[in-house]
Amino acid sequence: MQKTKIPKSATLYRTVMADHICPHGLKCKDLLQREGFSVNDQKLKSRENVDELKSRYGVLTVPQVFIEDVRIGGFDDLLRYFGKATSSENDVTYQPIIALFSVASLLALAISWLTLGNIFTVQTVEWFVSVSMVLLGLQKLMDIERFATAFLSYDLLAQRWVRYGYLYPFVEAGAGIMMIVGVFHWISAPAAFVVGAIGAVSVFKAVYIDKQTLRCACVGGDSKVPLGFVSLTENLMMVGMALWMILKY
């Protein structure tokens, strides 16, 4: 006779108030269920409930997870318990730039299909570069202050003229938009060439000559992408696109 498998159980204490539902508590519940646990979901519906739990177990935060009456801790602790990687402020990742270039590729293919009836042409490559410029500029504009601060750590012109760090995202996004539409090439091409060339020289000097270990501001000031090949590629793409537009028109 086959034995019935008894589901593993865990107790989760999480904040569920009228004005606040703890997101990490929901993530704990989801992770436990995905790992095959039956969750005893204890909802803390008032500040008094939260304070009482903290006092009872001598903890500073909620949510709190218990497995077989052993306190595991919060969401990060639960990830470690299941042997899953947790990110930290010092981690580096290429995920943002991979996502951005992937979306840019799909958009370029979609535009090519809709306008030319062909999924891949030379124009598709042009749209890929110009869409990438717009998306990269948008990432910087989402928090321009943090971008400018990070940009100052390596860009040669920004270190001499601080306001250039605030101007750069507008030039990059604006030139990309004009290239997508196919207008004002006499503005977009020179602008992209100048900022791209300065950026390429700055990155090359910082990374390959001065051997600095910095974060790339290419996808914004809070980026975890390391400065190096990615940022150099971004700038060389702008230079190449600018030269192509000058020769084309």
Side-chain angles (χ1 to χ4, degrees):
M1 182 176 180
Q2 187 177 5
K3 293 182 178 179
T4 303
K5 186 177 180 180
I6 301 174
K8 298 171 287 185
S9 63
T11 300
L12 167 65
Y13 294 91
R14 63 188 180 98
T15 303
V16 181
M17 299 183 191
D19 59 347
H20 175 65
I21 297 178
C22 177
H24 286 96
L26 289 171
K27 292 172 74 173
C28 284
K29 183 178 179 180
D30 174 70
L31 179 57
L32 286 165
Q33 290 174 335
R34 285 189 286 113
E35 292 292 331
F37 280 78
S38 172
V39 181
N40 177 18
D41 190 10
Q42 297 293 314
K43 299 174 183 178
L44 308 175
K45 298 183 178 181
S46 68
R47 176 53 55 189
E48 290 75 19
N49 292 153
V50 173
D51 292 339
E52 192 277 330
L53 176 80
K54 290 180 179 180
S55 176
R56 188 197 318 166
Y57 293 108
V59 296
L60 299 175
T61 61
V62 289
Q64 290 293 322
V65 176
F66 292 78
I67 295 177
E68 296 180 355
D69 296 324
V70 176
R71 188 177 71 84
I72 305 301
F75 181 66
D76 288 340
D77 300 307
L78 191 60
L79 284 173
R80 285 189 286 270
Y81 177 83
F82 289 125
K84 300 181 182 293
T86 57
S87 61
S88 70
E89 291 296 321
N90 296 322
D91 288 344
V92 297
T93 178
Y94 288 96
Q95 182 178 336
I97 205 70
I98 291 172
L100 187 145
F101 282 141
S102 297
V103 171
S105 300
L106 293 173
L107 282 172
L109 292 170
I111 296 171
S112 183
W113 179 262
L114 288 172
T115 58
L116 305 176
N118 194 338
I119 198 168
F120 188 80
T121 65
V122 173
Q123 184 73 61
T124 309
V125 179
E126 295 179 10
W127 280 323
F128 165 70
V129 176
S130 53
V131 168
S132 296
M133 290 169 59
V134 174
L135 294 178
L136 287 164
L138 175 62
Q139 290 294 312
K140 299 173 177 68
L141 288 169
M142 290 176 67
D143 192 341
I144 194 169
E145 192 67 42
R146 294 186 69 174
F147 162 74
T149 301
F151 196 56
L152 282 169
S153 65
Y154 61 87
D155 190 84
L156 297 175
L157 180 55
Q159 290 172 354
R160 291 178 175 271
W161 180 38
V162 173
R163 301 310 299 176
Y164 173 65
Y166 296 89
L167 179 64
Y168 182 98
F170 292 97
V171 175
E172 183 175 34
I177 291 171
M178 286 185 278
M179 289 174 176
I180 291 172
V181 180
V183 297
F184 303 122
H185 305 298
W186 56 277
I187 296 176
S188 62
F193 180 82
V194 170
V195 298
I198 295 171
V201 171
S202 299
V203 172
F204 188 85
K205 179 180 183 299
V207 176
Y208 300 104
I209 297 178
D210 298 339
K211 306 294 183 182
Q212 297 184 62
T213 303
L214 301 169
R215 295 290 175 87
C216 176
C218 52
V219 286
D222 59 348
S223 168
K224 294 182 180 180
V225 178
L227 183 68
F229 176 76
V230 170
S231 189
L232 186 60
T233 300
E234 173 192 5
N235 288 289
L236 291 178
M237 281 173 53
M238 283 195 284
V239 170
M241 185 66 172
L243 291 175
W244 172 254
M245 300 300 282
I246 291 170
L247 292 173
K248 184 177 179 180
Y249 294 99

